[in-house]
Amino acid sequence: MTQNRKSTGTLCVWGGEPIEMAEQATQVPVVHSVSFGYTDVDTWLQVAKGEQPGHIYSRNTNPTVKAFEDKVRLLEGAEAATSAATGMGIISSTLFALLCPGDRVVSVKDTYGGTNKLFTEFLHRYNVDVTLCDTTDHEAIEAAVAGGCRLLYLESPTNPTVKVVDIARLAAAGKRAGAIVVVDNTFATPVNQNPLELGADLVLHSATKYLGGHADALGGVVCGKNEWIEAVYHYREINGATLDPMAAYLLLRGIKTLHLRIRQQNQSALAVARFLESHPAVEQVFYPGLDSHPGHDIAAGQMRGFGGMLSFMLKENSLDAVRRLLPRLRYAHAAANLGAVETIVGPPATTSHVECSPQERACMGIPESLVRYSTGIEETADLIADLEQALAVFT
Ligand SMILES: *Cc1c(COP(=O)(O)O)cnc(C)c1O
């Protein structure tokens, strides 16, 4: 499957939509049926064996869920896709499907909190060795991969300090070592970045965030070559972390405006980042679109837009400063989520790094006064004015 980048917006709207729908419906129906009936046992057998298209039981496959998977698959330019009930459902299914005892995983320290827990708490129980490298130390990651590795797991940009890794460079290192290269593309979205084009084998998303975009449905999806997706699908149909058809419908509807939302969020986030960088109450701004960002050149090379996620550190470096700032924001939910149409703010202490102590966060380079800012689709000027009046508490 080749994807013409110019057609991203058209794929958001039309990609994966079944051509023929019951009763001439123009919208993908929400098929709540648990099972699918066959009057002819031979047809049933053929569908069950995968020799003929169709569905048997919705823990395995479902028409609404399939339309969602197809839409994301086309947006990522992939051969195949499979989904799960949540982002963590697809991440854990991918890791447990593809890893065996004795294997080694190489990843970075700044992965999503839940992913990091899989690496530090669970995989070693199954005798899978995990090496976590400094996220921006490309030489260290390459050296770790060259030392032997079954799976290289990357994320870019990362949470919450929006670090950027060179996907093409590290995917090449993974290839040389014979590793499967997996990239979490949640922050960038397929509108801004296509890891498969950069050499990754698998790209996955927490669809809960930008793909759905409305903070009203959980979901996860992974795309890539058939052989890997088959393995992940098989594990997921057995572990049962299946995406619900109603959630699949909400995610499908959300994706229809993905390109419009991302365009707006890219533009607003850059303007907000520049405003914050010039504000006297702000110590530092983390956004890959800023020239001051250490990963700016890499991001410019592999992303078509820098995304809607940024974070900033207040001059007054305490959680108390964050406590005073957040309630003053009129146009932002203070919540543990991101990627929605509304702006969402939160400190890592209550969101991505809730399990860590202040000392641990400090060791990870996460200051207590860091505020993660997920830019919504509000008017840019209103977001900046809102931040300006809220930050006035410090002057
Ligand atoms: C939220 C998130 C996840 C986990 O997704 P859920 O849908 O909450 O399970 C994984 N990766 C990233 C980058 C995320 O932001």
Side-chain angles (χ1 to χ4, degrees):
M1 173 66 218
T2 56
Q3 186 206 340
N4 177 0
R5 273 182 196 170
K6 283 193 219 88
S7 68
T8 299
T10 308
L11 284 176
C12 284
V13 178
W14 289 102
E17 304 275 314
I19 294 161
E20 277 181 34
M21 287 187 270
E23 309 291 344
Q24 312 304 116
T26 60
Q27 300 306 309
V28 175
V30 188
V31 180
H32 282 300
S33 191
V34 165
S35 59
F36 301 84
Y38 294 88
T39 45
D40 174 35
V41 173
D42 290 323
T43 312
W44 189 2
L45 253 178
Q46 282 176 338
V47 174
K49 285 183 181 160
E51 290 163 1
Q52 199 174 300
H55 306 276
I56 298 287
Y57 187 66
S58 282
R59 194 186 70 236
N60 306 349
T61 68
N62 169 280
T64 316
V65 171
K66 183 175 187 305
F68 162 73
E69 293 167 348
D70 277 345
K71 204 183 265 302
V72 182
R73 174 180 70 76
L74 291 166
L75 284 166
E76 287 292 8
E79 198 174 275
T82 193
S83 60
T86 64
M88 283 315 302
I90 208 66
I91 293 167
S92 54
S93 294
T94 300
L95 294 173
F96 282 99
L98 301 178
L99 293 167
C100 289
D103 282 344
R104 179 154 172 263
V105 176
V106 173
S107 188
V108 295
K109 286 184 179 154
D110 288 55
T111 51
Y112 175 74
T115 310
N116 193 262
K117 285 279 159 206
L118 287 175
F119 290 151
T120 56
E121 206 176 309
F122 291 98
L123 286 180
H124 70 87
R125 294 189 196 169
Y126 305 95
N127 195 25
V128 172
D129 179 42
V130 181
T131 305
L132 300 182
C133 304
D134 273 346
T135 303
T136 54
D137 190 344
H138 287 75
E139 283 79 17
I141 301 169
E142 283 171 330
V145 170
C149 157
R150 163 73 174 161
L151 192 145
L152 170 62
Y153 188 99
L154 302 171
E155 204 175 303
S156 186
T158 64
N159 199 357
T161 50
V162 216
K163 289 177 187 153
V164 171
V165 302
D166 189 331
I167 296 172
R169 174 175 167 182
L170 296 177
K175 285 264 153 64
R176 284 195 296 275
I180 308 168
V181 180
V182 182
V183 178
D184 183 333
N185 204 28
T186 301
F187 270 36
T189 83
V191 175
N192 283 332
Q193 175 173 281
N194 291 119
L196 300 182
E197 278 181 8
L198 300 166
D201 297 300
L202 291 171
V203 54
L204 53 83
H205 289 272
S206 166
T208 314
K209 315 294 170 53
Y210 286 102
L211 296 185
H214 293 71
D216 58 3
L218 293 155
V221 59
V222 62
C223 311
K225 284 222 178 65
N226 222 355
E227 60 170 316
W228 306 129
I229 297 299
E230 276 290 321
V232 178
Y233 162 74
H234 181 56
Y235 184 76
R236 200 273 298 141
E237 75 172 323
I238 301 307
N239 78 20
T242 305
L243 182 63
D244 179 73
M246 189 62 215
Y249 172 77
L250 291 169
L251 299 171
L252 264 173
R253 187 166 73 165
I255 299 172
K256 290 198 186 192
T257 56
L258 180 69
H259 56 302
L260 302 179
R261 290 185 279 113
I262 298 303
R263 212 179 283 166
Q264 179 68 26
Q265 285 162 320
N266 285 343
Q267 189 188 313
S268 284
L270 184 59
V272 166
R274 285 185 177 144
F275 162 76
L276 289 169
E277 204 169 37
S278 68
H279 197 284
V282 174
E283 176 70 29
Q284 198 178 351
V285 183
F286 304 89
Y287 184 63
L290 293 175
D291 292 334
S292 61
H293 189 282
H296 176 70
D297 289 343
I298 298 171
Q302 69 188 16
M303 301 178 81
R304 294 182 286 275
F306 298 106
M309 293 303 300
L310 60 104
S311 58
F312 58 97
M313 177 191 176
L314 297 165
K315 279 239 162 75
E316 190 184 319
N317 188 18
S318 67
L319 193 58
D320 191 53
V322 178
R323 217 175 257 129
R324 282 188 285 144
L325 176 73
L326 297 194
R328 292 177 63 101
L329 287 167
R330 165 73 183 80
Y331 298 125
H333 285 307
N337 193 10
L338 62 96
V341 289
E342 299 96 0
T343 293
I344 305 170
V345 291
T350 59
T351 57
S352 57
H353 291 73
V354 64
E355 292 101 346
C356 307
S357 67
Q359 291 72 22
E360 284 173 319
R361 283 192 289 271
C363 283
M364 297 166 92
I366 299 169
E368 284 305 279
S369 71
L370 195 77
V371 176
R372 191 178 73 181
Y373 190 92
S374 166
T375 316
I377 62 164
E378 302 89 344
E379 288 295 339
T380 314
D382 290 339
L383 293 180
I384 291 174
D386 195 28
L387 281 162
E388 190 160 32
Q389 62 79 26
L391 286 165
V393 73
F394 300 115
T395 54

